Amino acid sequence: MLVHVLASNDIILFDIDAPSDCSPAFLAVTNCLVARLRAQTISFDTRNVPDWLIISDVISTGPTGVHGPHVMQAFSEILSDRILLAGFTNANSELIGEFVGLFAPLLTGMPSLYEEMESAMAELMDNVFAHSESPEGGFLVGRHYAHLNMLRFAVCDLGISIPRHLRRMEPAYVYQSDEFVLAEAFVLGVSGNKVTHFGSGLPTVSDMTMRLGGRMNVYSGSAMYQVQSGTAGPLRVEKRFPGTLISIEWPTKRGK
């Protein structure tokens, strides 16, 4: 629950009753909101939220002297399921390695699984760094639900949104709807960097999701793109999301 408490000094209160039940998408969005509020020095209170649920700050420094790529916390001792919560500002190889090492052994049914999963995560994280213009970067949350035999993970940023980014790249999209433009982002080569080949994260992860028999929802601007049961397509949503939320679930091995 996110509450704006009206008082003599306005404050935004994060009050979560059942943190063990929070989905990766919820945790990713919550950490994006906290990072944005902190950056804008807006008062908020997380006194009822466990310390492990909110990343406090990006505390490390990288080789360039700027904020480091991520802060990571593993919560295997808190919950029985495997969980990862991290902030990032680029496609950091250490974070990708941690994510793949934690979750790839749970998956099955694809050749070269580790390599493809590493590539997919690098693409998704690079999209945030290269295209979203989100000053606080993005957040990655993954959790394995052992009782459901399901891996769920989410990548979120509060940047300019995918439709707005593509409209900047291609004037022909200016008069197209958000759902049309978001669907274009799933066409290989539309949004990618032609030199580095990065930027093709959505079609790459969509393909993995199809082959694994999973589900994927991408919520950006006034549109959502859904991938499930061998089909994929966009739809319009009433509430606009000011950025991009990518939520994915992949089936895992039974009993793992």
Side-chain angles (χ1 to χ4, degrees):
M1 179 184 296
L2 177 61
V3 181
H4 182 207
V5 180
L6 295 176
S8 56
N9 294 315
D10 282 3
I11 189 167
I12 295 174
L13 172 64
F14 289 84
D15 186 359
I16 300 174
D17 293 329
S20 62
D21 295 330
C22 293
S23 71
F26 177 84
L27 292 179
V29 172
T30 299
N31 274 277
C32 279
L33 289 171
V34 167
R36 178 62 57 86
L37 294 173
R38 184 181 290 117
Q40 297 181 359
T41 64
I42 297 174
S43 297
F44 64 93
D45 190 347
T46 59
R47 65 178 180 269
N48 296 324
V49 179
D51 292 340
W52 62 265
L53 200 148
I54 301 293
I55 290 179
S56 60
D57 199 3
V58 180
I59 57 175
S60 59
T61 55
T64 61
V66 299
H67 283 310
H70 72 281
V71 173
M72 186 187 309
Q73 301 177 36
F75 310 115
S76 58
E77 295 180 359
I78 299 172
L79 298 170
S80 60
D81 298 336
R82 300 184 186 187
I83 298 181
L84 180 148
L85 167 60
F88 64 91
T89 55
N90 58 23
N92 177 259
S93 59
E94 182 182 350
L95 175 54
I96 293 168
E98 289 280 353
F99 186 91
V100 173
L102 188 63
F103 295 121
L106 304 172
L107 303 173
T108 186
M110 285 179 56
S112 305
L113 177 61
Y114 279 77
E115 292 80 2
E116 291 200 51
M117 195 170 180
E118 286 180 343
S119 174
M121 298 311 299
E123 292 278 5
L124 290 181
M125 293 166 66
D126 184 77
N127 281 351
V128 173
F129 175 69
H131 306 317
S132 76
E133 301 181 22
S134 172
E136 59 277 332
F139 286 86
L140 167 65
V141 183
R143 177 177 177 182
H144 176 234
Y145 294 76
H147 65 294
L148 298 175
N149 299 305
M150 188 71 65
L151 166 63
R152 290 175 176 155
F153 64 99
V155 177
C156 184
D157 68 74
L158 296 181
I160 63 173
S161 82
I162 293 171
R164 186 177 175 191
H165 165 69
L166 287 182
R167 290 186 182 106
R168 288 183 176 183
M169 293 179 58
E170 176 52 67
Y173 293 141
V174 169
Y175 300 105
Q176 300 288 351
S177 65
D178 276 10
E179 58 264 39
F180 177 89
V181 179
L182 182 58
E184 287 290 281
F186 283 81
V187 178
L188 191 63
V190 168
S191 63
N193 184 304
K194 303 303 185 292
V195 177
T196 66
H197 303 293
F198 270 115
S200 57
L202 295 181
T204 299
V205 181
S206 175
D207 177 67
M208 282 193 68
T209 300
M210 288 278 200
R211 286 186 286 157
L212 286 168
R215 300 174 58 185
M216 176 180 182
N217 289 323
V218 178
Y219 185 11
S220 190
S222 299
M224 181 178 290
Y225 192 94
Q226 298 181 318
V227 177
Q228 61 183 21
S229 304
T231 63
L235 57 91
R236 184 171 181 80
V237 293
E238 293 298 323
K239 299 293 184 180
R240 185 181 185 278
F241 188 81
T244 299
L245 172 62
I246 302 171
S247 180
I248 298 167
E249 61 178 45
W250 291 339
T252 58
K253 301 174 185 176
R254 293 191 176 277
K256 297 292 185 179

